[in-house]
Amino acid sequence: MRGNVIVGQSGGPTAVINASVAGVYAAAKRAGVNKVYGMVYGIQGFLEDKVLDLDEYLADEAGMELLKRTPSAFLGSCRYKLPDVWSNEEQFEKVFEVMEKYDISCMFYIGGNDSMDTVKMLSDYAKQKGKNQCFIGIPKTIDNDLPITDHCPGYGSAAKYIATSLKEIIRDNAVYGDYRTAILLVEIMGRHAGWLTAAAALAKDDSCEGVDAIYLPERDFNLDEFLRKVKELAERKKSIVIAVSEGVRLGNGRFVCELDGAGSEKTDVFGHKQLSGCGAFLAGLIQEKTGYKARAVEFSTLQRAASHIASLTDIEEAFRAGEAAVEAALEEKTGMMVTLLRGEGDSYRCLTGLYDIHAIANQERKVPTEWITEDGCGVTKEYEVYARPLIQGELFPIYENGIPKHLVRKV
Amino acid sequence: MRGNVIVGQSGGPTAVINASVAGVYAAAKRAGVNKVYGMVYGIQGFLEDKVLDLDEYLADEAGMELLKRTPSAFLGSCRYKLPDVWSNEEQFEKVFEVMEKYDISCMFYIGGNDSMDTVKMLSDYAKQKGKNQCFIGIPKTIDNDLPITDHCPGYGSAAKYIATSLKEIIRDNAVYGDYRTAILLVEIMGRHAGWLTAAAALAKDDSCEGVDAIYLPERDFNLDEFLRKVKELAERKKSIVIAVSEGVRLGNGRFVCELDGAGSEKTDVFGHKQLSGCGAFLAGLIQEKTGYKARAVEFSTLQRAASHIASLTDIEEAFRAGEAAVEAALEEKTGMMVTLLRGEGDSYRCLTGLYDIHAIANQERKVPTEWITEDGCGVTKEYEVYARPLIQGELFPIYENGIPKHLVRKV
């Protein structure tokens, strides 16, 4: 490959988004690329010429090992969408100008649906203008909602965090046994797709009875049916743990987290519209309508940031996705996203592929209807067969001062 | 020691409360005790003759190793207070009746302030009635609020969880750099004592700049000063993370989490009085009074249940506290609690002692005033010197199916 390459990170971080940077770096260096640059704060920083040389951090193995264990986006991220090319061609030209300045022949962009749109626009623009730089997307999202790819790097680690924490919480909740009814709502991320909430099913094994119900946003949520389910559960057991997606909605399309007690729009004590807390709302509803005490826990930021319990499978696949992007560039591909493919057969194997970015950008994949149980309160065995391999293995943190050590950017 | 012994767990669990059960078992077996019983659901279950034989679980090393890694109270817990002895002597007699049935000469009770009151009442009753059974307390509480002992088993692991998770969250919060102001309130347990919230200071090290402010319940909380601090921070940095105890109160004694926007008592959307969510309240306040967007995260149950990231130092000390209780019983002590003593000198060493339970039961120890910085927004270096040794070391979980394996009670 002629010239240098650059890698950027975009959108919400995952526990393993940095492993893909490591994979890009390793493969590019192996291929003899001179400089592997990182864009600081994604395409938004790149437009302002914020670029660093990854040799400064990753030239030694210790840096690579730390990077794989570092949460959040090492390079910084952005939520910046490029404007319409017809109305603002200067921004596009600016991207190519900075690429030329650093003699960059290929840009690797790690992100979700929106970020793949950036890859699409830039590769389309290059083709149209006869520019020969290439643009390759690398998938990442805890939400697991990208189409085409079997799963997304980042999902396995979030799922491992959710399953592990739920297993601990289920145990905690049952500590008073028959002496106390304890109903706990656990609110899990995923506004439109229920992949993360489905991971609650993975808490169940020989040493854990699992959660008592799982509510995904793929199904309409019915408050009466929910209360019936809670009452039915409370008649036969004392410790009840229910996983619920932040994105559950009523049949009329309204988010449950938007509701107040009278079914109107919920505001906080200052009158601001609130779009969080469906777990807290449902706990209040249970108390109001059944008299049982209920409380709520939200995993919140923790589910995307907990590198200390990342899945080794996920780290390795994120790394491999970075490598595969470089291999695609070596073959002069552009406008493609790396995909993860599941090998045939009973034992789990993961391969990589490439797919036209136009089929991926701005698309969203949900949990298949047939993986949701008929009563709408759980997921089927097929989901577990799909997801269990993704949470296997651990890469233990490097501890210093009693806490995990991370790699830090100097700029 | 003649006869058998029993161990029970009481109050809210910690990540290492089971290590003390393991310590009791190991030391008692070493001393030649025939049966080491466990009371199922603490003194409440014991009064109903709920007893198990720990040989069934711990006779092999594998069981011991799993128990040390199992969260929540393995034996089950209770929040049961014995009644006044004058009004209800039957309950006291019942305890001794069950002890005699199983030929139990000593009861070890693992718990916090309230549980030590149970130890006190039972040992006082035995002395008064000329009974020769002995009663020894073993400290446990994530809150670290027991007097006399240097620290409490359970605190180190909760502190390690808080420091690790905060370090990950701080990194996540800064991901958009100068492009976005992000104010995050992290609400930490501890209604009366600020030990857990102080652990936020431990997130700071060479690879983390730490939190921007820490508010403990030991100091009156002033809403105007808080807002001034937030504004001052927001003028010089974009990513702000503030740790706040759930127990912060105004000068008039009112909990911040009780307030609504008009300074009245807060209720949820159904009108129930709410006693949680001071982080969410303060985030709303910031938005209302400064215009900056702010959000809140609560560690909630996770901080006492996260065995997967327990401190090895804490596990070993909890185990050692269990052993020390047995040693005290061998010397026919009663009405005592095991304490942890810090060895002299620069390098951390932890010894055990014994102390009269009367000086401990129902007492509460707070963070010393001199360890809180003058501006009330942080803790001093002395706190870190005190707490950093307690979070050192790890005991990695035994993974199965991608999640930590736990020991399960059959009854």
Side-chain angles (χ1 to χ4, degrees), chain B residues 105-349:
Chain B
S105 64
C106 188
M107 179 185 288
F108 304 106
Y109 209 45
I110 311 168
N113 328 56
D114 289 347
S115 316
M116 292 308 129
D117 197 42
T118 300
V119 175
K120 185 189 77 176
M121 288 199 280
L122 288 170
S123 57
D124 284 355
Y125 186 82
K127 273 184 196 164
Q128 201 173 38
K129 298 281 176 173
K131 297 173 189 283
N132 55 10
Q133 288 92 338
C134 74
F135 298 85
I136 306 283
I138 300 170
K140 84 70 228 181
T141 161
I142 59 166
D143 291 324
N144 203 38
D145 61 352
L146 285 170
I148 313 291
T149 186
D150 177 77
H151 56 282
C152 297
Y155 177 63
S157 294
K160 189 182 184 90
Y161 174 87
I162 289 166
T164 297
S165 299
L166 266 173
K167 188 169 174 176
E168 292 172 335
I169 286 174
I170 289 165
R171 191 82 180 216
D172 180 277
N173 199 62
V175 77
Y176 302 116
D178 284 347
Y179 295 103
R180 194 185 282 205
T181 294
I183 303 178
L184 182 68
L185 279 294
V186 181
E187 181 176 330
I188 299 177
M189 278 183 174
R191 189 49 63 98
H192 303 293
W195 293 104
L196 285 172
T197 307
L202 304 176
K204 185 176 178 178
D205 71 0
D206 288 348
S207 57
C208 180
E209 61 165 13
V211 295
D212 298 289
I214 298 175
Y215 291 98
L216 307 186
E218 279 81 358
R219 278 279 187 100
D220 288 347
F221 191 85
N222 182 298
L223 296 175
D224 292 329
E225 278 174 30
F226 170 75
L227 287 168
R228 245 196 316 277
K229 176 78 181 173
V230 169
K231 277 187 226 159
E232 180 252 299
L233 283 165
E235 275 162 25
R236 58 186 172 82
K237 63 196 302 251
K238 294 288 185 176
S239 175
I240 297 166
V241 179
I242 296 171
V244 58
S245 164
E246 62 173 350
V248 289
R249 299 179 202 226
L250 306 183
N252 62 12
R254 176 144 249 182
F255 284 115
V256 170
C257 62
E258 286 177 307
L259 302 178
D260 71 7
S264 308
E265 193 164 86
K266 187 171 60 175
T267 56
D268 72 9
V269 290
F270 301 100
H272 309 133
K273 188 176 166 186
Q274 270 196 311
L275 262 178
S276 72
C278 79
F281 171 81
L282 292 173
L285 184 76
I286 288 170
Q287 197 166 334
E288 176 74 11
K289 303 290 186 185
T290 72
Y292 293 119
K293 276 220 163 187
R295 61 192 186 91
V297 166
E298 273 184 61
F299 284 147
S300 193
T301 310
L302 297 160
Q303 57 208 304
R304 68 168 180 246
S307 286
H308 75 269
I309 191 167
S311 151
L312 179 61
T313 299
D314 194 21
I315 291 174
E316 288 176 344
E317 290 175 359
F319 188 90
R320 180 75 198 103
E323 289 183 316
V326 173
E327 288 156 16
L330 290 170
E331 294 170 12
E332 306 204 345
K333 298 281 202 313
T334 188
M336 311 288 271
M337 185 187 82
V338 173
T339 57
L340 299 180
L341 311 167
R342 193 177 291 243
E344 302 273 321
D346 281 348
S347 67
Y348 175 76
R349 274 185 322 130

Side-chain angles (χ1 to χ4, degrees), chain A residues 281-300:
Chain A
F281 169 82
L282 292 173
L285 183 76
I286 289 170
Q287 196 166 336
E288 177 73 11
K289 303 288 185 186
T290 72
Y292 293 118
K293 277 221 162 183
R295 62 193 186 91
V297 166
E298 273 183 61
F299 284 146
S300 195

